[in-house]
Amino acid sequence: MTQIQGHPHPAAKGRLRGRQRYLFRFWQALLAEEKLPQCDRWIARQMKQHRQFGKQDRYWYSELLFAGLRFGYLAAFLEFLAQLSSGDSLPGPDRLVRAMEAFQKRFPDWAALKQGWQAIPPEVFFFWVDSRYRRVVQQPGLSTGLDAVPAATRHRRALFSAVEQHLPELAFPRGAMLWHGLPLWYTACVEERAVRSGWETPRLQLFLERQSFRPPLWLRLNAPEQGEQVLAELAASGFVAEADGLALKVRGQRGIFELQCYRKGWVEIQDWASQQLGRLVWARPGQMVWDCCAGGGGKTLQIATDPQGLNRRGAVYASDIREYKLKELLQRARRAQLPNIRVLPWDGNTLPAFGKEVEKRRGFHWVLVDAPCSATGTWRRNPDAKYRFHPSGLEEWVALQARLLSRAADAVRPGGRLVYATCSWLVQENEQVVQQFLADHPQFHLLEMQLFGNPDRDADTTFGAVLEKRT
């Protein structure tokens, strides 16, 4: 991991300038990594190395670094445009369209974009980022002072205003994608999704607009009988919570990890769109469920506790290729007091030995395949994910998804259900995978499939399909 060297963080005088210097160093250190890391973890590690930072400092750095990732693609375009401009001349719509085309050819992928970022002085890069960021988030405590750095020339200010006036409406959806920070190498994917889902221009505009900011924090009630106590504690702790069934949309300025409702396992952090995937598994008390790509187990716990489903009866087997994830899941299950969760690793090939309780039922009533994917549906929370994936790599993902779905299908009992899910909005990873599976496995038929979340909800975007095995 790249280390950042520097003088102690200033405590009072020149604090904002000191913050800027450290922000620039953090950014340069991030770009010095051989591969783009998972940035929330990278930032957390950097903050731990600088114990002199207070809570507000850490929040400030995290917000601006994530803003750099969210709007960095736009920042590269703005500086590309500034270098093309001469004197004080400002581009009109036609010049902006031509500039977009040239920019797309100049930066066709992450490798080229990273080089472009490295060539931009950090104060210039973050001037562009901050100009866009302040249109989205207006919190006085997050003042950056970057509008006063030397990069903030009169021409750059005027250029940003001209782009803001014209870009979002140009060559739709490309101009809107650029304005909201989505790389243009996803243009065909966005257009295909809009056609497949029947999104008219306003819905597509909303889908793109929401990429500019994080969705709210969503919680799921593990213990619905404690719902009133949970809401009371959230309110007493300064949160504003809205109930949507067992989902709670929560807004506040502090973390929830020290709250009693979390420590006692009454709530879990789980996005609304992810909760809808768990709800597709409407198992009944006494049935057997296999969550074969469980990860940290959010949906495993949801299925086990659903009061209209298993309601803590029956059994949920949870598998993952990463055994440390299964250890995390067991800890969460103990906190939620769920003895009906079993864990066993699975590498995606030969089915595990499930034991007699599954064998005597001729398989599982429900199998959930929440497949590894491009994670395009999580870009709002993890903007770095849009740079770690390129559509040219889709074939590899699709092959893995098809293999996992086919292998897991062997564990479904006659008359049982197979649920395929991703946290992606790409048609190739979703509808096309399901269609190919049905063509190859005529013993299954489709019951339903749909996209959840953004743009219909202020949440992530997920996909789910329910298939039934003929008796």
Side-chain angles (χ1 to χ4, degrees):
M1 181 176 67
T2 303
Q3 302 293 315
I4 299 176
Q5 305 297 326
H7 299 292
H9 190 61
K13 187 177 180 180
R15 186 177 187 84
L16 191 55
R17 289 194 299 273
R19 275 181 167 181
Q20 290 170 359
R21 288 195 295 271
Y22 265 93
L23 174 66
F24 299 159
R25 291 170 184 164
F26 282 130
W27 181 250
Q28 290 173 318
L30 180 61
L31 295 185
E33 298 284 356
E34 183 177 353
K35 294 183 179 180
L36 183 65
Q38 188 170 329
C39 290
D40 55 348
R41 296 180 180 178
W42 186 90
I43 292 170
R45 290 195 298 270
Q46 296 295 342
M47 294 302 104
K48 286 182 179 179
Q49 294 176 13
H50 294 271
R51 300 290 185 180
Q52 74 272 28
F53 294 162
K55 182 178 180 180
Q56 291 183 344
D57 293 322
R58 294 193 298 270
Y59 182 64
W60 190 90
Y61 291 125
S62 296
E63 276 292 297
L64 269 296
L65 287 168
F66 270 106
L69 293 164
R70 196 176 303 279
F71 298 118
Y73 188 77
L74 174 64
F77 173 72
L78 290 166
E79 187 58 21
F80 177 79
L81 195 60
Q83 299 302 322
L84 291 179
S85 303
S86 57
D88 292 335
S89 63
L90 296 176
D94 291 342
R95 282 183 59 194
L96 279 175
V97 171
R98 291 195 297 271
M100 271 196 293
E101 293 170 351
F103 178 75
Q104 189 171 3
K105 292 178 181 178
R106 171 67 180 81
F107 298 100
D109 53 30
W110 159 245
L113 181 63
K114 180 182 177 180
Q115 290 183 350
W117 282 353
Q118 290 172 324
I120 302 174
E123 62 272 17
V124 175
F125 178 84
F126 277 99
F127 164 73
W128 291 125
V129 168
D130 184 60
S131 298
R132 181 69 180 93
Y133 174 75
R134 285 184 286 114
R135 300 298 196 275
V136 178
V137 179
Q138 298 180 357
Q139 296 184 40
L142 289 174
S143 174
T144 65
L146 292 167
D147 56 342
V149 299
T153 61
R154 185 167 62 89
H155 179 58
R156 282 199 176 98
R157 291 176 186 273
L159 182 61
F160 182 85
S161 296
V163 170
E164 182 178 30
Q165 179 182 356
H166 299 297
L167 185 63
E169 307 299 327
L170 287 179
F172 189 79
R174 287 191 299 148
M177 289 176 62
L178 192 47
W179 181 244
H180 297 301
L182 271 64
L184 293 178
W185 57 74
Y186 291 108
T187 301
C189 298
V190 168
E191 292 173 338
E192 185 175 13
R193 169 48 61 194
V195 171
R196 186 68 186 233
S197 293
W199 292 349
E200 300 294 339
T201 297
R203 287 184 74 197
L204 180 52
Q205 284 177 325
L206 179 59
F207 174 80
L208 297 174
E209 177 185 331
R210 282 181 170 161
Q211 304 297 330
S212 297
F213 55 91
R214 280 195 302 263
L217 173 67
W218 287 92
L219 305 179
R220 176 180 50 77
L221 281 171
N222 253 347
E225 67 277 8
Q226 306 294 342
E228 290 186 8
Q229 288 180 255
V230 169
L231 290 171
E233 183 181 7
L234 288 170
S237 302
F239 292 95
V240 176
E242 300 176 35
D244 185 349
L246 298 180
L248 301 176
K249 183 168 69 172
V250 178
R251 297 186 185 276
Q253 294 299 313
R254 56 177 291 193
I256 71 159
F257 299 108
E258 298 304 316
L259 300 183
Q260 287 299 308
C261 60
Y262 181 80
R263 293 167 69 93
K264 291 182 177 180
W266 294 349
V267 295
E268 293 285 345
I269 297 174
Q270 188 179 11
D271 185 81
W272 183 90
S274 176
Q275 292 186 43
Q276 306 319 300
L277 300 180
R279 292 183 64 188
L280 291 176
V281 181
W282 41 280
R284 294 295 175 260
Q287 290 187 339
M288 311 296 291
V289 181
W290 183 30
D291 183 359
C292 69
C293 301
K299 285 178 278 297
T300 302
L301 272 64
Q302 179 185 2
I303 294 165
T305 59
D306 187 350
Q308 297 180 336
L310 284 185
N311 198 20
R312 299 174 182 262
R313 291 174 283 174
V316 183
Y317 284 72
S319 297
D320 201 274
I321 194 171
R322 301 160 296 179
E323 295 195 41
Y324 75 91
K325 284 289 186 182
L326 299 179
K327 292 179 180 178
E328 293 176 7
L329 171 54
L330 279 179
Q331 292 175 351
R332 297 174 72 182
R334 282 194 290 267
R335 190 179 73 235
Q337 300 179 14
L338 292 172
N340 62 332
I341 291 178
R342 297 101 159 92
V343 300
L344 68 171
W346 184 50
D347 63 3
N349 294 308
T350 305
L351 292 180
F354 295 111
K356 291 183 178 180
E357 69 175 353
V358 176
E359 292 176 3
K360 70 181 183 181
R361 291 172 173 82
R362 301 172 60 197
F364 289 93
H365 299 87
W366 292 85
V367 172
L368 169 61
V369 184
D370 188 3
C373 67
S374 63
T376 55
T378 70
W379 286 351
R380 298 184 64 194
R381 297 185 193 279
N382 305 296
D384 47 301
K386 61 191 175 188
Y387 306 117
R388 283 198 297 272
F389 168 74
H390 192 280
S392 61
L394 260 177
E395 185 175 338
E396 183 177 347
W397 280 115
V398 170
L400 173 61
Q401 291 151 0
R403 179 169 60 84
L404 291 174
L405 188 58
S406 179
R407 296 288 190 275
D410 292 337
V412 181
R413 58 176 277 157
R417 305 285 174 82
L418 176 64
V419 177
Y420 174 71
T422 73
C423 56
S424 166
W425 47 263
L426 299 181
V427 173
Q428 294 95 325
E429 295 185 283
N430 295 324
E431 289 93 342
Q432 289 184 12
V433 169
V434 171
Q435 290 165 354
Q436 186 60 54
F437 174 84
L438 291 172
D440 296 338
H441 299 79
Q443 68 272 34
F444 284 87
H445 65 276
L446 178 67
L447 296 181
E448 60 175 302
M449 67 177 175
Q450 61 180 303
L451 215 60
F452 299 100
N454 187 31
D456 297 321
R457 291 292 183 105
D458 191 3
D460 291 338
T461 307
T462 62
F463 170 86
V466 182
L467 315 170
E468 184 176 56
K469 189 173 185 178
R470 307 180 196 277
T471 56

